[in-house]
Amino acid sequence: MIKCELGKWLKGDGRKYSNLPEYSGLVSKHALFHKAAASVIVKADCGQCVDDEIALGAKSPFAEASSAVVSALMTIKAKV
């Protein structure tokens, strides 16, 4: 079961945009976001500080992945 709202959209209503080249980019960026988020969770579970990882504007993999997803969504929105 998909719990992520964006994941649900990508597998559901968002598929109508799958003909756009940007759609596959968004799917890839979304997957990278989840990998980066999982890395933050692992660090937090090990007792490591993750404040810099999740701070907006930070250059952490999580922040960059999050920004990439937002950018990809905005690109698709501008096209439709």
Side-chain angles (χ1 to χ4, degrees), residues 9-22:
W9 183 81
L10 287 169
K11 300 278 187 192
D13 291 342
R15 288 181 85 50
K16 64 185 168 191
Y17 303 114
S18 63
N19 62 320
L20 298 173
E22 293 83 2

Side-chain angles (χ1 to χ4, degrees), residues 15-59:
R15 288 181 85 50
K16 64 185 168 191
Y17 303 114
S18 63
N19 62 320
L20 298 173
E22 293 83 2
Y23 179 85
S24 62
L26 173 58
V27 171
S28 296
K29 288 172 176 70
H30 178 245
L32 289 174
F33 167 80
H34 279 283
K35 287 180 184 177
S39 176
V40 172
I41 291 168
V42 168
K43 288 179 183 179
D45 284 348
C46 291
Q48 296 178 16
C49 180
V50 294
D51 292 344
D52 290 341
E53 293 278 333
I54 59 174
L56 294 177
K59 291 296 179 189

